[in-house]
Amino acid sequence: MSDETGTGTTAAPTTERRVRVVLVDDHRMFRTGVQAEIGRTDVTGVEVVGEAADVDQAVTVITATHPEVVLLDVHLPGGGGVEVLRRCTSLMTAPENPVRFLALSVSDAAEDVIGVIRGGARGYVTKTITGTDLVDSIFRVQEGDAVFSPRLAGFVLDAFASTDAPPVDEDLDRLTQREREVLRLIARGYAYKEIAKQLYISVKTVESHVSAVLRKLQLSNRHELTRWATARRLV
């Protein structure tokens, strides 16, 4: 497994510890690394029953295999982890054998953490986690616990304790991951050319994203957009 996920030796399970897992990440080499680290069922108790690289694949594989836990990357082609959660709501809320989601991402941005937790994920850990801790987190999520990398728990507590923020932000959930990135940079005062350079996209593409964000949020200009983002602490 890559350095991002750590190289700790996974702990041997008891015979009762078994969990079926789907890996969702758009980087094949990362999925291969995770599989090698945690997928030795006889040692870890984790059985990887499927993999997916984008939103559509994820929904198809999760529906077909009905795993107990999904390791979900936040940034995925097709709408991101939030879109996977939205389309799997019925599986998450099933009265028997619900599918539980654990976000596993390189991102430690507050908006990413809060977005997937609002979407229904049971926890969020970063890719610096060791194999041992990841296996432990998977089993804890399977059992219904909430699991977070230490620094990230504060984001969630602050978000849900805030009296001036709604418990669910349907407007923000409407945006794609790329639209959120553009929104955040616009709100920070970046010019279109600067955003294009930072995100490795064309100025025309930036303009298209800004237009889509304004339309979805029913805002008129970038000044209103900046106020909107600042009120939600996205800047």
Side-chain angles (χ1 to χ4, degrees), residues 18-55:
R18 290 291 185 269
V19 59
R20 299 170 69 254
V21 171
V22 164
L23 305 178
V24 181
D25 192 287
D26 62 338
H27 293 96
R28 182 181 59 80
M29 290 186 66
F30 178 74
R31 296 198 310 272
T32 300
V34 174
Q35 166 83 314
E37 185 77 13
I38 72 172
R40 294 169 293 156
T41 308
D42 58 331
V43 175
T44 65
V46 175
E47 179 187 3
V48 177
V49 297
E51 299 182 14
D54 59 33
V55 169

Side-chain angles (χ1 to χ4, degrees), residues 21-234:
V21 171
V22 164
L23 305 178
V24 181
D25 192 287
D26 62 338
H27 293 96
R28 182 181 59 80
M29 290 186 66
F30 178 74
R31 296 198 310 272
T32 300
V34 174
Q35 166 83 314
E37 185 77 13
I38 72 172
R40 294 169 293 156
T41 308
D42 58 331
V43 175
T44 65
V46 175
E47 179 187 3
V48 177
V49 297
E51 299 182 14
D54 59 33
V55 169
D56 288 340
Q57 287 180 15
V59 174
T60 298
V61 171
I62 293 165
T63 302
T65 60
H66 202 100
E68 290 154 302
V69 176
V70 177
L71 287 180
L72 180 68
D73 192 13
V74 174
H75 301 158
L76 292 169
V82 170
E83 178 65 11
V84 176
L85 292 163
R86 187 188 68 79
R87 291 168 60 178
C88 290
T89 299
S90 62
L91 296 175
M92 287 190 290
T93 58
E96 295 184 6
N97 303 318
V99 177
R100 294 190 167 102
F101 287 78
L102 173 62
L104 174 63
S105 177
V106 69
S107 171
D108 62 359
E111 61 266 29
D112 287 336
V113 179
I114 295 165
V116 295
I117 297 306
R118 283 175 170 160
R122 295 293 303 174
Y124 194 117
V125 294
T126 61
K127 291 180 178 179
T128 56
I129 193 170
T130 65
T132 302
D133 289 341
L134 181 56
V135 169
D136 180 64
S137 297
I138 290 169
F139 277 105
R140 288 175 59 192
V141 167
Q142 178 198 24
E143 294 163 2
D145 289 346
V147 179
F148 298 94
S149 294
R151 193 174 79 87
L152 307 185
F155 294 155
V156 179
L157 291 173
D158 289 346
F160 287 93
S162 175
T163 57
D164 58 357
V168 175
D169 194 329
E170 295 180 357
D171 290 332
L172 185 61
D173 290 346
R174 222 174 268 131
L175 304 182
T176 67
Q177 183 58 41
R178 178 63 87 188
E179 287 168 353
R180 294 187 195 194
E181 292 172 347
V182 172
L183 163 64
R184 189 164 59 248
L185 292 172
I186 285 288
R188 289 174 180 171
Y190 283 71
Y192 285 6
K193 287 184 179 179
E194 294 172 319
I195 296 172
K197 183 177 180 180
Q198 183 158 335
L199 298 181
Y200 301 99
I201 58 179
S202 69
V203 173
K204 186 174 181 179
T205 300
V206 174
E207 292 172 349
S208 296
H209 285 312
V210 172
S211 295
V213 170
L214 292 173
R215 183 181 69 254
K216 290 180 180 181
L217 301 181
Q218 298 182 7
L219 301 174
S220 301
N221 53 56
R222 65 180 297 163
H223 300 295
E224 290 184 4
L225 188 152
T226 299
R227 288 197 297 271
W228 188 95
T230 301
R232 286 160 176 78
R233 303 175 184 175
L234 301 180

